[in-house]
Amino acid sequence: MEKGNARCIYDAVSSNAAILYFVGAVTIVIIRVVFVMYRSSKPPRPKSPRPLCTLIVLGSGGHTAEMMNLLSVLQEDRFKPRFYIAAATDNMSLQKARVFEDSLVHKAGSEAVGTAQFMQIYRSREVGQSYVTSVATTLIAIAHGLWLMIKIRPEVILCNGPGTCIPICAIAFFFKVLGIRWSSIFYVESIARVKRLSLSGLLLYKLHMADQLFVQWPQLKSKYPRAHYVGRLM
């Protein structure tokens, strides 16, 4: 009888200890997530003027055109090496990026050679693809995005709307929480978004994943107070 009681007490203590460990681990994770969300909403801390490894997420059509306009006003010597990522089926966007980088080479000479690389990432879901099969392709896209993030280890991520940026930004946020790498995420909403954010912008805004989120229309600033109004870039 005594052995039975002792066994019950031991099981109860072990169970309570396991629950305490679990609750403690969850609490630490929540605190870390809240800290990352809080820190991401603050202005970037001034750093040394050394070049920053930059990941640029491209989208089809107008997204890439807007990104090229944005890059044309950035200090190319400040943001390098540059890594361009587009969806696996989007060769046009990478071609535009190559043309842009070639123009920098012609302007700056040999100093700009070798500062840009061009990559593709699997799409989470193709247009018209069923939601059932998109589960598998989404997992593949996340795994591919994780591999690219580990390989590139960007300090800055620039994106402006394509759904391709969501896995990349989610992985970057996960790395922040784990303390692996702090990649500053800068999201510029498309000029086509006048009254509401795109789905990508809304996710990054609501989940506090973007360090800075910029809009090009004042009414969006009124609707989303944490966004930064920068006027029209095009």
Side-chain angles (χ1 to χ4, degrees), residues 14 37 87 91 102 108 118 132 148 155 160 170 200 206 228:
S14 298
M37 294 172 66
N91 294 316
D102 287 342
F118 308 90
V132 175
L148 289 174
E155 296 170 272
N160 70 330
S200 297
K206 292 293 186 181
H228 301 273

Side-chain angles (χ1 to χ4, degrees), residues 2-15:
E2 292 180 356
K3 291 183 177 180
N5 291 336
R7 181 63 180 176
C8 290
I9 293 173
Y10 174 79
D11 291 342
V13 170
S14 298
S15 178

